[in-house]
Amino acid sequence: MFETHKSMVREQEKGRNTASETLMETDLGKERYTRSCPMTCPKQCYAMVGLPARGKSYIAHRLARYLNWIGIKSQVYNVGKYRRELVGVSMSSEYYDPNNSCGTESRRMVAEHVLNKILVWFKDDPDACVAILDATNTTQQRREMILEKCEPAGIKVMFIESVLEDEIIEEMNIREHKSSVSGLPRQ
């Protein structure tokens, strides 16, 4: 019976997800502490969906924090952050106009750049489990692009829509976001 148990433990250790383990010092010495998570983690991309100032980034970061806490390695990829780095901070409203083909192509290229970063993360980090794509992703074309990039790489995609109908909270979100991004004083 004891030998059977030892062989079962060896087999389990072969498939163990090291991202969810920690060696802890206890009264009995060092012990392996494993959070309750799957032995193997399927690669997943959670794509946030919603209009600006609807809480997508808040949800994305809280979700990543929780997943990491329970031992599921996750990372948030904010497309707006990459856009500010690649294209610039001060963009006029014309840049976001869907009829502006130059702005539309620029936004598509930034989103594709971020998706490529996600693919590289999954390829380079064997413990990577969940990438959270933080962007509006409101158009059918953008969602199709996400699926076309992720599915051939074996990454499951789930779209998470954030809807906000409270105008007071929406206004607060806009003020908070504008002041944190542009460096304007908070009102």
Side-chain angles (χ1 to χ4, degrees):
M1 172 100 173
F2 183 68
E3 288 300 314
T4 305
H5 176 71
K6 281 173 51 176
S7 66
M8 286 173 49
V9 169
R10 277 194 296 272
E11 290 300 313
Q12 286 177 345
E13 286 179 351
K14 288 180 186 176
R16 183 172 280 147
N17 181 356
T18 58
S20 63
E21 306 181 339
T22 309
L23 286 177
M24 296 179 68
E25 195 68 39
T26 67
D27 294 338
L28 302 173
K30 288 190 176 180
E31 292 185 338
R32 190 178 311 271
Y33 173 72
T34 306
R35 296 185 189 271
S36 58
C37 71
M39 292 287 231
T40 58
C41 180
K43 309 294 184 201
Q44 300 176 44
C45 177
Y46 299 166
M48 302 304 296
V49 176
L51 296 173
R54 297 310 195 264
K56 294 179 302 297
S57 294
Y58 180 83
I59 293 168
H61 285 279
R62 292 299 176 254
L63 180 58
R65 183 178 179 186
Y66 175 73
L67 291 172
N68 284 315
W69 181 71
I70 62 171
I72 298 173
K73 190 168 185 179
S74 60
Q75 191 165 320
V76 176
Y77 291 85
N78 182 286
V79 176
K81 175 183 167 252
Y82 286 97
R83 179 193 46 78
R84 287 185 289 279
E85 290 173 3
L86 297 170
V87 181
V89 176
S90 300
M91 304 304 295
S92 71
S93 61
E94 292 174 5
Y95 178 79
Y96 301 99
D97 184 349
N99 297 320
N100 176 355
S101 59
C102 186
T104 301
E105 180 61 16
S106 173
R107 292 189 315 273
R108 187 199 63 74
M109 289 174 63
V110 171
E112 191 168 2
H113 172 77
V114 175
L115 283 168
N116 288 334
K117 284 198 158 295
I118 289 171
L119 295 176
V120 168
W121 181 60
F122 279 128
K123 183 177 169 254
D124 292 348
D125 188 342
D127 294 325
C129 289
V130 177
I132 303 173
L133 182 62
D134 183 15
T136 56
N137 299 318
T138 54
T139 66
Q140 185 68 34
Q141 295 86 0
R142 179 63 57 81
R143 292 180 202 176
E144 288 171 359
M145 182 177 77
I146 294 167
L147 291 170
E148 288 169 3
K149 283 279 193 178
C150 292
E151 287 181 341
I155 300 167
K156 304 264 187 219
V157 178
M158 178 171 63
F159 294 98
I160 301 173
E161 185 172 12
S162 178
V163 178
L164 176 62
E165 296 175 344
D166 187 325
E167 292 177 18
I168 295 170
I169 294 175
E170 179 184 348
E171 188 176 320
M172 286 176 14
N173 286 349
I174 290 170
R175 282 193 186 132
E176 183 75 22
H177 180 70
K178 277 189 176 249
S179 63
S180 66
V181 170
S182 64
L184 298 173
R186 293 193 168 120
Q187 297 176 343

